[in-house]
Amino acid sequence: MIKKKLVFSGVQPTGNLHLGNYLGALKNFVSLQKEMECIYCVVDLHAITTFQKPNDLQNNVLETVASFISTGLDPNKSIIFNQSSVPGHTELAWILNCVSRIGWLNRMTQFKDKAGSDKEKASVGLYVYPNLMAADILLYKSTHVPVGADQKQHLELSRDIAQKFNNDFNCKDFFPIPEPLIPKKVSRIMSLRDGTKKMSKSEESDLSRINLKDNADEIIKKIKKAKSDSEPIPENLSDLEKKPEALNLINIYAEMTRKNLEEVLNEVAGKEYSFLKTNLSEVLISEIVPIGKEIKKLLDDKAHLMQILKKGKEKANIIAEENLKNIREKVGLI
Ligand code: TRP
């Protein structure tokens, strides 16, 4: 039997998406949309596993949708919606809470990182977060899941849960075992201030990241101030790899120009970083500034964004309800 391919991914509603989100996730979403049926979900229920101010949460959901659309996702092709608007996510999450094992969750490194030193004070939601993620994926019987490398362990848990459900309820192949799509080529985009840390919204200095809403002057300033190296750009990769900030700048340039690292290194070896930085600012400005303008424009028309979510929710809900009917039946719920 040929199974239909279905892509599902979830994105946390953080306002202010940055270049790391763009190169690491959104761009990949857009290219997948050309090949397969895709569902992209803004995971507001995952967000509230740590406290969110209600107003901020709402704005961040809308801003994430605006960023989706501005980078090229098409709501007529892909299903775009927010997780809490389709009740099937929480219903299936409960069922999967009963399939998943405490021992499995205890191994999740993201919980350990996020809960910090006082685990007693973490929310129960944060602990079962990976079960909800499994529910997101399995609710649609998704086959492919584009995620960053940091979500690999959660995806493996989803696979274990799918397998155990299929075994426990004697329904081989009921849930497809979802395949991770982890972009190998996209090297991680790091902070402009510290090449060993991921570019992140939570880093205090705004100089550490290029935001999708940055204007040309901000981009020029941030790239100018980005850490590089006092020596000229090295000739070969192994020397470059010893200099994380320099490597990061060259990586970003390679990603933006769709070239591989070696090609870029051939172009710029022996030159000063100021040369690379001028070119990098130029390519960033021509690709990122129009996206930022579009995000701002969309955010001025909230009704339009709400309409996109409503349409997405309706489409998602049809698939979810259809699958849930079968899931309830397998479990023996009347
Ligand atoms: N946990 C993911 C992250 O933080 C977001 C997410 C939630 C997700 N549900 C998902 C990703 C389902 C892929 C599939 O990035």
Side-chain angles (χ1 to χ4, degrees):
M1 186 171 71
I2 299 171
K3 291 248 175 63
K4 203 176 72 179
K5 286 185 183 170
L6 180 62
V7 170
F8 183 98
S9 197
V11 175
Q12 295 245 15
T14 52
N16 208 4
L17 274 83
H18 54 68
L19 188 67
N21 306 120
Y22 176 62
L23 293 175
L26 297 176
K27 260 186 118 160
N28 191 27
F29 289 180
V30 175
S31 55
L32 286 169
Q33 170 187 258
K34 294 183 189 130
E35 302 160 26
M36 295 185 229
E37 222 178 295
C38 298
I39 304 180
Y40 295 119
C41 177
V42 184
V43 292
D44 46 8
L45 297 172
H46 277 106
I48 61 169
T49 57
T50 57
F51 183 77
Q52 305 292 316
K53 290 195 188 118
N55 271 335
D56 290 354
L57 179 61
Q58 277 194 6
N59 288 332
N60 288 343
V61 169
L62 293 180
E63 186 159 333
T64 306
V65 177
S67 306
F68 279 1
I69 308 296
S70 306
T71 49
L73 288 185
D74 177 354
N76 293 316
K77 267 198 199 143
S78 300
I79 300 181
I80 294 169
F81 73 110
N82 61 310
Q83 189 183 28
S84 64
S85 71
V86 175
H89 289 257
T90 44
E91 183 177 343
L92 182 56
W94 180 258
I95 295 173
L96 299 185
N97 279 342
C98 303
V99 175
S100 181
R101 304 288 94 181
I102 290 177
W104 297 354
L105 287 182
N106 283 345
R107 284 199 286 274
M108 296 294 117
T109 57
Q110 185 173 297
F111 176 76
K112 291 178 196 163
D113 294 344
K114 282 202 183 173
S117 53
D118 196 352
K119 299 198 179 16
E120 301 275 312
K121 288 215 170 108
S123 74
V124 177
L126 189 65
Y127 184 64
V128 293
Y129 175 119
N131 294 344
L132 176 60
M133 179 162 159
D136 297 339
I137 297 166
L138 301 180
L139 183 58
Y140 301 94
K141 298 195 170 187
S142 317
T143 59
H144 292 81
V145 183
V147 279
D150 62 325
Q151 294 298 312
K152 197 168 164 238
Q153 194 185 32
H154 288 164
L155 200 73
E156 274 157 15
L157 182 90
S158 302
R159 292 166 58 89
D160 289 343
I161 292 176
Q163 212 128 38
K164 183 159 164 40
F165 185 102
N166 291 351
N167 276 329
D168 286 358
F169 298 104
N170 218 342
C171 48
K172 197 169 167 280
D173 298 333
F174 179 74
F175 284 129
I177 311 303
E179 293 289 335
L181 295 175
I182 298 173
K184 266 188 234 76
K185 226 197 90 244
V186 182
S187 8
R188 295 190 343 156
I189 307 301
M190 312 307 273
S191 158
L192 300 177
R193 309 297 292 169
D194 175 353
T196 62
K197 281 203 283 192
K198 239 173 95 168
M199 186 177 283
S200 152
K201 176 189 132 107
S202 50
E203 187 171 338
E204 204 173 314
S205 169
D206 196 51
L207 289 173
S208 70
R209 61 187 159 262
I210 302 290
N211 303 308
L212 296 184
K213 289 190 297 184
D214 281 345
N215 63 33
D217 290 344
E218 285 165 322
I219 291 176
I220 291 170
K221 181 173 113 195
K222 288 177 179 180
I223 295 299
K224 214 180 235 162
K225 295 206 166 191
K227 275 203 186 156
S228 54
D229 195 51
S230 51
E231 286 166 37
I233 301 174
E235 308 275 331
N236 60 57
L237 255 178
S238 59
D239 288 339
L240 181 66
E241 275 160 2
K242 295 181 198 122
K243 304 167 189 286
E245 284 86 12
L247 174 65
N248 187 38
L249 290 176
I250 294 189
N251 247 334
I252 296 175
Y253 186 70
E255 290 296 336
M256 295 299 297
T257 52
R258 295 157 190 84
K259 292 178 184 160
N260 62 39
L261 269 181
E262 289 81 0
E263 273 176 275
V264 174
L265 214 47
N266 277 341
E267 267 176 49
V268 297
K271 298 211 161 77
E272 300 299 320
Y273 283 91
S274 55
F275 172 80
L276 171 73
K277 285 180 166 188
T278 309
N279 289 344
L280 179 56
S281 294
E282 252 167 50
V283 292
L284 284 170
I285 289 169
S286 73
E287 193 161 331
I288 300 299
V289 172
I291 292 175
K293 283 190 181 150
E294 186 63 20
I295 294 175
K296 290 178 194 156
K297 199 174 107 194
L298 285 165
L299 283 174
D300 280 338
D301 188 357
K302 299 238 157 73
H304 175 59
L305 292 172
M306 296 293 278
Q307 192 53 37
I308 291 174
L309 284 177
K310 181 164 178 277
K311 208 167 95 181
K313 157 187 130 174
E314 284 162 7
K315 289 196 273 188
N317 205 40
I318 292 172
I319 310 175
E321 277 307 315
E322 176 69 29
N323 288 337
L324 263 176
K325 241 188 346 210
N326 297 326
I327 293 166
R328 291 185 197 112
E329 196 181 302
K330 294 282 176 227
V331 179
L333 301 169
I334 298 173

